[in-house]
């Protein structure tokens, strides 16, 4: 069974009954349950479609954070070959929240940078839940400099609640590291494509998402602050995160309308975790199209294109 979200309870109840009937049939029950199983499967699929036709921004936030969504490491494993991870910022330490290295994408040499949350307790602790420390962003800058030097396109996969807000991170210059990573993105003279695959939170996301082309998965979110954080500031009540999510316009559909992103990658009904292979393949296709669209641009044109893109945000709102 899937890990069901709160609003998916009607589907969870139906799927639970289906599993019970299948188990009964396997145990050699006297009753023929095939017709009932087929009927319940149809009802479950219809209920899921009905739920996902009218998702609220808060429900999309829950889907974006679903523990079973494909993560950065899944995309790297499927979309890239010859991936060679590069570790450390050559200054302080290695940060496992940021995965980075060199690889081949459809045979083309590229640099890959992504945020990894982890998928179980051990890996989440190892990757600090995808919340990077300053050394993680300095590692990202190192990889970008390397890509720029050898004329390699940069592909980034964004999935973080935000940069780590702890005292140690602040002591080591978190804000400065994020600013330098954002500046490095803006100064690149190679194609840069970014995909928000889950949660794009605050400066922790924008630090590696200041790209020529920015895409979002259909149920991903992208925001200047988490809904919980916004609710705590606006109403001094984090339980009003649902209201904050609605007012902040954090969904892919809102951000495409506002011209913050360049496109939306569809997800199967029920979210990316219900069709991981299809979502990763669709993401690879979008990245491929984006890189081809920039193939004829020279280095200065690529840099200008990226800067103009972000300077234009908000001008027509």
């Amino acid at each position: 069974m899937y890990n069901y979200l709160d609003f998916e309870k009607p589907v969870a109840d139906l799927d639970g009954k289906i599993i019970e009937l299948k188990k009964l049939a396997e145990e050699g029950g006297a009753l023929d349950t095939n017709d009932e199983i087929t009927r319940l499967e149809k009802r479950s699929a219809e209920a899921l479609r009905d739920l996902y036709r009218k998702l609220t921004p808060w429900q999309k936030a829950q889907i974006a954070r679903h523990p079973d969504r494909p993560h950065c490491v899944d995309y790297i494993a499927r979309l890239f070959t010859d991936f060679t991870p590069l570790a450390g910022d050559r200054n302080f330490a290695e940060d496992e929240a940021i995965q980075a290295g060199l690889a081949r994408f459809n045979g083309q040499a590229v640099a890959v940078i992504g945020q990894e949350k982890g998928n179980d307790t051990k890996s989440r602790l190892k990757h600090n839940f995808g919340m990077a420390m300053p050394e993680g962003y300095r590692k990202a800058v190192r990889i970008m400099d390397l890509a720029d030097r050898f004329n390699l396109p940069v592909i980034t996969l964004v999935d973080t609640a935000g940069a780590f807000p702890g005292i140690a991170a602040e002591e080591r210059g978190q804000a400065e590291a994020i600013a330098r990573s954002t500046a490095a993105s803006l100064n690149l003279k190679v194609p840069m494509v970014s995909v928000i695959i889950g949660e794009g939170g605050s400066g922790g996301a924008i630090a590696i998402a200041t790209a020529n082309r920015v895409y979002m998965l259909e149920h991903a979110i992208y925001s200047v602050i988490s809904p919980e954080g916004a609710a705590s500031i606006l109403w001094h009540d984090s339980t009003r995160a649902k209201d904050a999510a609605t007012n902040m316009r954090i969904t892919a559909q809102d951000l495409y309308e506002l011209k913050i992103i360049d496109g939306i990658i569809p997800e199967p009904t029920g979210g990316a975790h219900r069709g991981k292979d299809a979502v990763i393949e669709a993401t690879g296709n979008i990245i491929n199209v984006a890189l081809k669209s920039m193939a004829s641009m020279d280095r200065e044109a690529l840099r200008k294109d990226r800067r103009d893109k972000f300077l234009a945000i908000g001008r027509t709102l």
Side-chain angles (χ1 to χ4, degrees), residues 187-237:
N187 285 321
L188 281 174
K189 295 180 180 179
V190 295
M192 183 175 181
V193 181
S194 181
V195 182
I196 293 94
I197 59 175
E199 190 174 10
S202 190
I206 197 69
I208 64 167
T210 316
N212 295 88
R213 305 288 184 269
V214 181
Y215 300 96
M216 287 179 69
L217 264 62
E218 183 180 356
H219 303 312
I221 60 171
Y222 195 17
S223 59
V224 70
I225 189 173
S226 70
E228 293 87 348
S232 296
I233 293 170
L234 294 173
W235 299 294
H236 305 289
D237 182 0

Side-chain angles (χ1 to χ4, degrees), residues 16-38:
K17 291 176 183 177
I18 293 168
I19 289 172
E20 288 177 7
L21 288 173
K22 287 182 175 179
K23 186 176 180 182
L24 184 65
E26 289 172 359
E27 291 173 352
L31 295 175
D32 184 0
T33 59
N34 289 334
D35 289 345
E36 181 65 9
I37 289 172
T38 301

Side-chain angles (χ1 to χ4, degrees), residues 140-167:
V141 170
R142 184 167 74 87
I143 303 305
M144 289 182 207
D145 288 344
L146 193 64
D148 204 35
R149 187 182 311 164
F150 292 100
N151 208 34
L152 304 177
V154 176
I155 298 168
T156 69
L157 303 165
V158 179
D159 190 15
T160 181
F164 186 66
I167 292 174

Side-chain angles (χ1 to χ4, degrees), residues 64-274:
R65 296 168 174 174
H66 197 289
D68 295 336
R69 277 180 82 83
H71 289 183
C72 167
V73 294
D74 300 313
Y75 286 84
I76 290 174
R78 280 289 309 276
L79 296 180
F80 302 95
T81 56
D82 300 329
F83 177 67
T84 303
L86 299 176
D89 64 346
R90 299 296 186 266
N91 183 42
F92 183 77
E94 161 66 347
D95 184 353
E96 295 280 2
I98 297 278
Q99 299 293 296
L102 305 179
R104 291 191 179 276
F105 176 74
N106 291 340
Q108 180 181 13
V110 297
V112 185
I113 303 169
Q115 289 154 329
E116 174 59 37
K117 285 184 172 181
N119 51 26
D120 56 30
T121 302
K122 184 177 180 180
S123 63
R124 285 170 189 152
L125 290 171
K126 174 184 176 182
H127 297 291
N128 199 30
F129 299 85
M131 295 186 292
M133 303 286 275
E135 47 270 24
Y137 294 110
R138 291 178 180 129
K139 174 170 69 173
V141 170
R142 184 167 74 87
I143 303 305
M144 289 182 207
D145 288 344
L146 193 64
D148 204 35
R149 187 182 311 164
F150 292 100
N151 208 34
L152 304 177
V154 176
I155 298 168
T156 69
L157 303 165
V158 179
D159 190 15
T160 181
F164 186 66
I167 292 174
E170 296 299 334
E171 287 176 342
R172 296 202 293 275
Q174 184 71 289
E176 183 266 352
I178 290 172
R180 285 190 181 275
S181 184
T182 307
S185 300
L186 286 170
N187 285 321
L188 281 174
K189 295 180 180 179
V190 295
M192 183 175 181
V193 181
S194 181
V195 182
I196 293 94
I197 59 175
E199 190 174 10
S202 190
I206 197 69
I208 64 167
T210 316
N212 295 88
R213 305 288 184 269
V214 181
Y215 300 96
M216 287 179 69
L217 264 62
E218 183 180 356
H219 303 312
I221 60 171
Y222 195 17
S223 59
V224 70
I225 189 173
S226 70
E228 293 87 348
S232 296
I233 293 170
L234 294 173
W235 299 294
H236 305 289
D237 182 0
S238 62
T239 62
R240 294 189 63 181
K242 185 185 299 186
D243 296 328
T246 302
N247 287 288
M248 289 166 63
R249 304 190 70 177
I250 62 177
T251 68
Q253 295 72 24
D254 285 332
L255 294 167
Y256 183 70
E257 183 182 335
L258 292 169
K259 299 182 180 178
I260 305 295
I261 63 170
D262 298 288
I264 299 171
I265 301 169
E267 298 186 31
T269 301
H273 55 286
R274 290 177 181 265

